[in-house]
């Protein structure tokens, strides 16, 4: 039978059957039967439309069955199949399946083909397959196609291969907003906040107008780095140009402000949002919690229960964590009970960690240990034992701490942080023989402590410091000023907490080791380079040590500065010699 032409399709009954069926499998099977019985089974145009609809209906097996019945598939059919399967994450691998047949049929691909194929490789996070497709792109002569290049940038960035992503990006003669956003997002999602903001600045210099997607990535990078001034610029731009403060953008602003220590500004954004969802509510609750405003977090959670969206599992993690860090045991117990009894959520590992942390920080060590043994199913996760171990160290219950540490090492024997914690507990208990034994185990296993560093933003540029760091061009001045600060702190009553460093060092060496911790260097640099009324904001990748916490209280007095430190666990707002955590961290 003669194949029906594409321009005739709108007038054929079979085409109308397909349109009426839509992406519904049973009506599509009936339409397929009609196509066969009506003599149109050789119409590639009809079959192409049928295939795309069946794929959209979610049946890849039926799609493949129909495809195998097509005697002479053409490039339009293959490209439609490849694009259709690339749209759905669960079918991404079938884009490559149909491309393989396209090659076997000696049908030449197009830029359209490769754009969809590269997207599928990105969805599969398969660097190997994507590089193979990239090779086919170059062989086929589409290496300079702007749409294919943009897809390749997004693919490499999603797979974490930022080097190749940037190579493709830099070779683009005509960069679209999609390409800029993919590269900026790639940097941000792979923890390269400085590079993300640097590329954003380059984008503005070259005259490209950012959109909401750009700002979401940039705000997330600002949150990573504590880059408050850049985040403020973005907020002002949004307001000035009247961009829609949608849920995604609004939530990104909330995260940026709370992670830079500006909870009040975050709440202003939250209250100004025309539409909120469970993510934005949870972000605001979490922001209160990490900044030490536990009661405000609980109040907002109660408001959410009354008039907001239904809390999800992440919401309960946020409010339980807020209670733990603020010592709100009664409120935390109530929240945990409501999660199970009112919302019928079965507690997960993250909820158990928060509850153990809540009890442990409050000194209820026996109750916390009993909870782990009786309420936590199966073998408790490492994070649960870590929370318990931290509580033992905090409250100097060394016997229980050693017992907990043994459980922890049994679960995660290759984590150096656990050995360091155990070593510190032995040292605080005066068991130096055990300290030496733990250190020897670490050496035998080639385990090393994670290197700590602190970042500070000054004049929209982020600076990184590590302990004893001398890479900064103004090192001599920074060290001189820090020595002067610490001398003034000692005059005001500060005494170094030597027990936070390696215990085999001599006393003089210990004091030297803690004096030049990364956060102290960053704070000294910040005070030197900013005006007297400017708060100092530091981001640290690890938990702040006890000596730095003690020292920064004194620095806030002698330098008359507000100092905000975000460590791995939470925020510390230092002002006039006190900290927002009330030494409860």
């Amino acid at each position: 039978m003669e194949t029906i032409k594409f321009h005739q399709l709108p007038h054929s009954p079979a085409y109308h059957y397909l349109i009426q069926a839509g992406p519904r499998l049973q009506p599509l099977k009936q339409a397929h039967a009609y196509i066969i019985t009506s003599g149109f089974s050789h119409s590639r145009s009809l079959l192409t439309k049928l295939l795309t609809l069946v794929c959209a209906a979610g049946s890849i097996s039926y799609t493949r069955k129909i495809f195998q019945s097509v005697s002479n598939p053409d490039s339009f059919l293959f490209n439609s199949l490849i694009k259709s399967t690339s749209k759905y994450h669960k079918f991404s691998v079938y884009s490559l399946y149909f491309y393989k047949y396209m090659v076997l049929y000696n049908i030449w691909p197009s830029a359209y083909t490769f754009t969809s194929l590269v997207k599928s490789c990105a969805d599969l996070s398969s660097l190997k397959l994507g590089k193979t497709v990239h090779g086919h792109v170059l062989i086929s002569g589409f290496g300079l196609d702007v749409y294919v290049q943009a897809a390749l940038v997004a693919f490499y960035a999603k797979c974490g291969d930022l080097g190749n992503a940037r190579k493709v990006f830099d070779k683009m003669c005509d960069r679209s907003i999609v390409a800029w956003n993919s590269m900026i997002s790639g940097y941000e999602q792979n923890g390269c906040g400085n590079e993300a903001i640097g590329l954003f600045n380059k984008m503005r210099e070259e005259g490209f107008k950012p959109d909401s997607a750009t700002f979401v990535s940039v705000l997330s990078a600002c949150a990573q780095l504590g880059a408050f001034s850049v985040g403020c610029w973005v907020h002002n731009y949004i307001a000035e140009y009247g961009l829609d403060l949608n849920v995604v953008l609004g939530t990104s602003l909330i995260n940026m402000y709370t992670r830079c220590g500006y909870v009040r500004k975050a709440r202003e954004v939250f209250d100004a949002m025309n539409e909120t969802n469970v993510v934005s509510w949870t972000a605001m609750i979490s922001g209160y919690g990490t900044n030490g405003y536990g009661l405000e977090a609980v109040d907002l959670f109660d408001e959410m229960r009354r008039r907001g969206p239904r809390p999800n599992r992440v919401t309960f993690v946020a409010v339980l964590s807020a209670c733990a860090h603020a010592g709100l045991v009664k409120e935390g117990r109530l929240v945990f009970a409501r999660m199970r009894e009112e919302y019928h959520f079965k507690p997960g590992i993250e909820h158990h960690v928060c509850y153990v942390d809540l009890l442990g920080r409050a000194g209820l060590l026996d109750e916390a240990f009993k909870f782990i043994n009786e309420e936590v199913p199966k073998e408790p996760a490492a994070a649960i034992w870590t929370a318990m171990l931290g509580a033992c160290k905090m409250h100097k219950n060394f016997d229980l701490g050693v017992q907990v540490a043994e459980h922890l090492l049994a679960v995660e024997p290759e984590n150096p942080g656990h050995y360091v914690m155990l070593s510190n507990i032995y040292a605080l208990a005066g068991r130096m023989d055990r300290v030496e034994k733990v250190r020897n185990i670490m050496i035998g296993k080639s385990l090393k402590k994670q290197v700590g560093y602190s970042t500070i933003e000054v004049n929209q540029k982020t600076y990184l410091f590590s302990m004893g760091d001398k890479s900064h061009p103004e090192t001599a001045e920074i060290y001189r000023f820090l020595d002067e600060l610490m001398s003034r702190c000692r005059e005001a009553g500060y005494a170094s907490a030597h027990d936070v460093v390696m215990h085999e060092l001599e006393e003089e060496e210990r004091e030297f080791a803690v004096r030049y911790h990364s956060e102290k260097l960053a704070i000294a640099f910040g005070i030197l380079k900013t005006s007297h009324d400017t708060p100092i904001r530091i981001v640290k990748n690890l938990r702040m040590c006890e000596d730095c916490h003690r020292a920064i209280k004194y620095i806030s007095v002698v330098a008359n500065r507000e100092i905000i430190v975000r460590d791995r666990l939470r925020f510390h707002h230092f002002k006039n010699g006190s900290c927002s955590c009330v030494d409860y961290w």
Side-chain angles (χ1 to χ4, degrees), residues 9 11-19 31 34-35 38 40 46:
L9 277 177
H11 305 291
S12 73
Y15 181 79
H16 286 295
Y17 272 122
L18 288 175
I19 296 301
Y34 179 83
I35 289 170
S38 301
F40 292 124
L46 273 175

Side-chain angles (χ1 to χ4, degrees), residues 247 276-283 285 304 309-313 315:
V247 172
T276 55
N277 62 9
V278 66
V279 179
S280 49
W281 280 84
T282 301
I285 291 169
M304 182 182 188
R310 188 177 190 269
N312 62 16
R313 302 180 70 85
T315 311

Side-chain angles (χ1 to χ4, degrees), residues 436-490:
E436 186 67 24
K437 184 177 180 181
V438 172
R439 297 265 165 84
N440 289 336
I441 292 172
M442 290 183 70
I443 292 169
K445 289 177 173 285
S446 299
L447 301 176
K448 294 183 179 180
K449 287 178 63 176
Q450 185 179 356
V451 176
Y453 63 83
S454 298
T455 60
I456 181 171
E457 183 196 25
V458 176
N459 297 325
Q460 296 193 12
K461 184 176 179 182
T462 302
Y463 298 86
L464 184 146
F465 293 88
S466 57
M467 186 180 76
D469 191 359
K470 294 187 177 180
S471 62
H472 196 282
E474 298 177 66
T475 289
E477 185 180 3
I478 294 168
Y479 273 66
R480 178 195 59 76
F481 183 68
L482 178 57
D483 286 341
E484 179 187 321
L485 268 180
M486 298 314 299
S487 177
R488 290 162 62 190
C489 287
R490 280 190 292 273

Side-chain angles (χ1 to χ4, degrees), residues 10 79 140 246 363 468 506 546:
N79 283 328
S140 303
N246 57 36
E506 296 297 329
E546 292 173 25

Side-chain angles (χ1 to χ4, degrees), residues 116-185:
S116 298
L117 273 179
V118 172
K119 178 187 178 300
S120 289
C121 292
D123 289 340
L124 293 167
S125 296
S126 177
L127 189 59
K128 184 178 179 180
L129 284 173
K131 284 185 174 181
T132 301
V133 172
H134 191 177
H136 285 224
V137 167
L138 298 175
I139 293 168
S140 303
F142 295 105
L144 296 178
D145 182 273
V146 292
Y147 297 104
V148 176
Q149 285 178 320
L152 284 167
V153 170
F155 156 71
Y156 279 120
K158 186 170 182 180
C159 290
D161 189 347
L162 298 178
N164 274 321
R166 190 59 190 260
K167 282 180 184 177
V168 176
F169 180 82
D170 287 340
K171 288 178 182 177
M172 294 182 73
C173 298
D174 184 16
R175 298 187 186 110
S176 64
I177 186 66
V178 173
W180 283 100
N181 287 348
S182 295
M183 195 67 242
I184 292 170
S185 174

